[in-house]
Amino acid sequence: MAIRPLAPTNDPVLREKTKKVRDFGPSLQELIEEMVETMRAEPGVGLAAPQVGVSLQVAVIELPEEQEEEEQEERGDKDPYRGKLIVICNPEVVKTWGAEEQEEGCLSMPQYVGDVTRATRVVVKAQDRRGKQIRLRAEGLMARVLQHEIDHLNGTLFVDRVESLDKLYRIEPSEEDGIDKEEEAV
Ligand code: ZN
């Protein structure tokens, strides 16, 4: 098991439409394990296979356990996806509700963050790491991360969804403010 190097920002693999997973055997399991390790090492809350140079419809997501207070208040219950490792293969957004603009970052584009409008709630159908059909109903950060990762599998980066250049911000490496954002990079 090893950490995989991230594909550089200009790597064409980030712009490809990825191939469907058809073989859920040992090589997929190894890829998933290494993607999880890489995501945790960065650290990030999500990682899609093209980000480590593999053009395959696989993504891993792991949101931190803690919830932002306001998020909790809004919903009044616990997000079932927090603090859990989620692996999705061949995912597809089947339903969306609402729209919300929020700042987003990406491990494949560490120098920038930008304001991106995404659906606030989504239903995603996918397969788990063994090929079993699953359905995820998510809102808030999980809904956003799912949409971000599924974009990666279609060769789309968050900058493509930033409406204008004044909603894209450069992070200076020395800037303390950048630390928070990096933690939520996907
Ligand atoms: Zn990303």
Side-chain angles (χ1 to χ4, degrees):
M1 241 41 89
I3 288 169
R4 297 208 177 197
L6 290 179
T9 308
N10 60 357
D11 192 321
V13 71
L14 292 170
R15 293 314 201 161
E16 284 170 19
K17 191 157 170 40
T18 52
K19 287 190 207 76
K20 260 194 135 168
V21 178
R22 299 191 189 280
D23 180 356
F24 291 84
S27 73
L28 178 74
Q29 302 309 319
E30 190 183 332
L31 170 67
I32 290 169
E33 288 307 321
E34 296 189 349
M35 283 174 62
V36 170
E37 257 190 76
T38 307
M39 168 178 70
R40 287 175 179 162
E42 278 303 323
V45 297
L47 190 73
Q51 295 184 276
V52 290
V54 180
S55 194
L56 203 59
Q57 292 187 25
V58 185
V60 297
I61 299 172
E62 191 172 51
L63 302 185
E65 186 84 64
E66 318 87 62
Q67 286 192 29
E68 314 232 336
E69 269 173 40
E70 47 184 85
E71 235 178 283
Q72 217 164 10
E73 273 167 29
E74 257 174 47
R75 207 177 30 242
D77 60 4
K78 206 171 164 344
D79 186 330
Y81 298 115
R82 289 279 180 164
K84 233 191 247 176
L85 175 65
I86 310 288
V87 178
I88 46 172
C89 302
N90 306 328
E92 205 183 308
V93 177
V94 290
K95 211 167 171 187
T96 65
W97 295 265
E100 189 180 37
E101 187 179 69
Q102 221 169 63
E103 200 171 84
E104 227 169 88
C106 180
L107 292 175
S108 300
M109 212 167 249
Q111 314 88 323
Y112 292 96
V113 294
D115 296 327
V116 182
T117 302
R118 297 208 188 260
T120 48
R121 288 170 60 208
V122 293
V123 175
V124 168
K125 90 175 180 195
Q127 282 169 279
D128 72 6
R129 61 188 298 170
R130 304 286 169 198
K132 193 181 139 211
Q133 294 287 346
I134 50 170
R135 212 167 250 267
L136 305 163
R137 289 174 181 77
E139 53 190 304
L141 182 60
M142 183 62 180
R144 178 165 293 270
V145 174
L146 278 168
Q147 292 168 83
H148 180 112
E149 301 310 336
I150 292 170
D151 266 0
H152 270 302
L153 304 180
N154 291 308
T156 301
L157 298 176
F158 82 93
V159 282
D160 305 337
R161 297 201 182 272
V162 173
E163 283 164 28
S164 63
L165 279 178
D166 60 326
K167 291 189 173 183
L168 190 64
Y169 317 100
R170 202 180 164 88
I171 304 172
E172 298 302 333
S174 58
E175 215 179 296
E176 298 242 331
D177 200 34
I179 291 166
D180 265 6
K181 286 155 195 164
E182 274 170 28
E183 276 173 8
E184 296 226 327
V186 281

